[in-house]
Amino acid sequence: MRDESLSDSLLAWYDRHARAMPWRVGPADRAAGVRPDPYAVWLSEVMLQQTTVAAVRDYFRRFVTRWPTVTDLAAAEDGEVMAEWAGLGYYARARNLLKCARVVASEHGGRFPETREALLKLPGIGPYTASAVAAIAFDERAAVVDGNVERVMARLYRVETPLPEAKPELTAHAAALTPAERPGDYAQAVMDLGATVCTPKSPACGICPWMAPCAARAAGVQADLPRKAPKKAKPTRYGIAYLARRSDGAWLLERRPDKGLLGGMLGWPGSDWSDAPTGAPPVEAQWQDPGLEVRHTFTHFHLRLALRVAEVGRDAVPDRGHFIPRAAFRPASLPTVMRKAFDLGASALPATESVAPDSD
DNA sequence: AAGGCGTGGCA
DNA sequence: TTGCCAAGCCT
């Protein structure tokens, strides 16, 4: 059974402390009848998967400015969406975002399904996002369980079982607390609490609306919860990236395959990334070794990427990739590791003379 | 069903 | 420098 005094005290706290966000309808406006745009809720929730609010803000604004509705997004070119997502990480989210937008546009008349169950069927929408959209946009009493909620529940109920084993128990607690009234505000409230008060390292118990009922706080173990299984060490992999600049300033890039690391993104042609990388240069040239190396850490390995640079003539025909004209090339459209390679490698080539744009 | 999948900030 | 982490999903 639900403990309404708990959800009530949290909602009262949220009424005073809700953070303002570009996609959020605050509690006062919500109480006055303002409804959030399901498209904005969905887009923000996908962007927020494993990603900080600070990192998402500007991406969200650019997306809704460029594609104001899900129908607009559905009509976008794949490469444009991937370029706009560049730098935000977890690029499968962007591929699934577009898939989802197209399903909503073509099979649901441009309107998002309004139940958690139906939302779960869409690409890129899992248990968390389905609950968040259902609760925030459609007032369904759906319990959100993300990293914040897991932490808050583990502390409130002093769950000592380590994650991920504890997940079902924490989910049950979260579901029991979720109120029928204001489920969307409650979802945002419990996540705000986790993000600003019940933080991973020194939680601010002194200002927490749930200080009194918190079992971990009473036992003084709040900073030790939730317990987690130890993580594996990251191996180091090595690779080579080839940066070729044509005499007209065009750069040789290739589209990475949809599956796997950085799937669907542009990148520099190169070797595989392994203990002993192999891979031929993508175009015949006088390749130079400037002695530069990009260091970058992915989710599950460290990468040391050695750079090779070359200038090639107007008639160069690459074995891999294609030349992107200087005027069309934006480093910001590259995933971060590739942008780092550009920042380093471009400085190793002589400055381009200012030439008039050419006609290919 | 455990592992693949990004990035930037911070102690 | 290193490790940890942040509103997970997919296979």
Side-chain angles (χ1 to χ4, degrees), chain A residues 22-23 37 39-41 43-44 47 57-69 72-73 84:
Chain A
W23 50 84
D37 176 3
Y39 170 66
V41 174
L43 177 61
S44 65
M47 288 183 166
R57 273 205 161 86
D58 288 343
Y59 282 87
F60 175 83
R61 279 193 269 258
R62 285 194 292 268
F63 266 72
V64 292
T65 298
R66 186 164 179 179
W67 300 295
T69 71
D72 296 321
L73 181 59
E84 204 66 76

Side-chain angles (χ1 to χ4, degrees), chain A residues 310-332:
Chain A
E311 294 185 276
V312 301
R314 292 297 314 275
D315 54 349
V317 178
D319 298 324
R320 295 167 56 186
H322 58 280
F323 284 99
I324 298 188
R326 181 165 60 172
F329 173 60
R330 286 174 299 122

Side-chain angles (χ1 to χ4, degrees), chain A residues 2-339:
Chain A
R2 276 174 282 149
D3 184 334
E4 293 188 5
S5 71
L6 281 173
S7 55
D8 284 352
S9 58
L10 183 62
L11 284 165
W13 172 84
Y14 182 71
D15 287 340
R16 287 180 287 118
H17 298 291
R19 294 179 292 170
M21 298 177 190
W23 50 84
R24 175 177 280 180
V25 173
D29 286 339
R30 186 69 192 81
V34 179
R35 310 294 303 248
D37 176 3
Y39 170 66
V41 174
W42 163 74
L43 177 61
S44 65
E45 291 299 343
V46 173
M47 288 183 166
L48 285 163
Q49 291 167 6
Q50 297 287 285
T51 308
T52 58
V53 169
V56 164
R57 273 205 161 86
D58 288 343
Y59 282 87
F60 175 83
R61 279 193 269 258
R62 285 194 292 268
F63 266 72
V64 292
T65 298
R66 186 164 179 179
W67 300 295
T69 71
V70 68
T71 308
D72 296 321
L73 181 59
E77 302 262 354
D78 293 38
E80 295 299 312
V81 174
M82 300 312 288
E84 204 66 76
W85 195 278
L88 197 55
Y90 284 135
Y91 298 99
R93 293 184 295 169
R95 302 195 301 272
N96 285 329
L97 186 84
L98 197 42
K99 279 187 199 167
C100 182
R102 287 171 179 164
V103 170
V104 169
S106 65
E107 298 179 22
H108 299 274
R111 292 171 183 255
F112 278 87
E114 300 191 1
T115 68
R116 180 182 192 278
E117 183 184 0
L119 287 160
L120 261 178
K121 299 182 190 302
L122 295 169
I125 297 186
Y128 164 76
T129 306
S131 285
V133 174
I136 297 168
F138 300 120
D139 289 320
E140 179 173 332
R141 192 175 81 82
V144 294
V145 184
D146 70 336
N148 286 306
V149 177
E150 289 177 351
R151 184 172 58 256
V152 171
M153 294 301 127
R155 289 172 175 169
L156 182 60
Y157 294 104
R158 194 182 172 185
V159 174
E160 298 274 357
T161 310
L163 285 168
E165 188 185 344
K167 175 108 177 173
E169 182 179 357
L170 300 174
T171 298
H173 285 306
L177 278 181
T178 301
E181 301 295 317
R182 303 180 64 189
D185 281 349
Y186 175 82
Q188 295 172 95
V190 67
M191 290 188 288
D192 268 21
L193 185 74
T196 65
V197 175
C198 195
T199 52
K201 299 171 186 182
S202 38
C205 301
I207 59 168
C208 181
W210 283 350
M211 177 174 68
C214 183
R217 162 73 178 178
V221 298
Q222 64 273 18
D224 301 321
L225 299 180
R227 302 195 187 282
K228 295 189 177 181
K231 305 197 170 170
K232 291 182 180 174
K234 291 174 167 60
T236 298
R237 295 184 191 169
Y238 301 83
I240 303 168
Y242 296 96
L243 279 63
R245 190 182 66 201
R246 210 166 55 183
S247 53
D248 62 354
W251 290 95
L252 181 60
L253 288 151
E254 69 179 359
R255 179 76 57 185
R256 299 172 62 88
D258 268 349
K259 304 225 172 199
L261 192 67
L262 309 181
M265 301 299 291
L266 284 178
W268 305 106
S271 70
D272 64 318
W273 296 346
S274 62
D275 280 341
T278 59
V283 64
E284 192 170 314
Q286 298 281 334
W287 287 100
Q288 305 167 45
D289 179 357
L292 298 172
E293 180 186 69
V294 171
R295 292 191 181 197
H296 190 79
T297 298
F298 292 99
T299 310
H300 54 296
F301 66 94
H302 303 290
L303 176 66
R304 294 189 181 195
L305 189 61
L307 303 185
R308 300 289 185 271
V309 300
E311 294 185 276
V312 301
R314 292 297 314 275
D315 54 349
V317 178
D319 298 324
R320 295 167 56 186
H322 58 280
F323 284 99
I324 298 188
R326 181 165 60 172
F329 173 60
R330 286 174 299 122
S333 72
L334 301 178
T336 298
V337 65
M338 300 297 176
R339 186 183 50 72

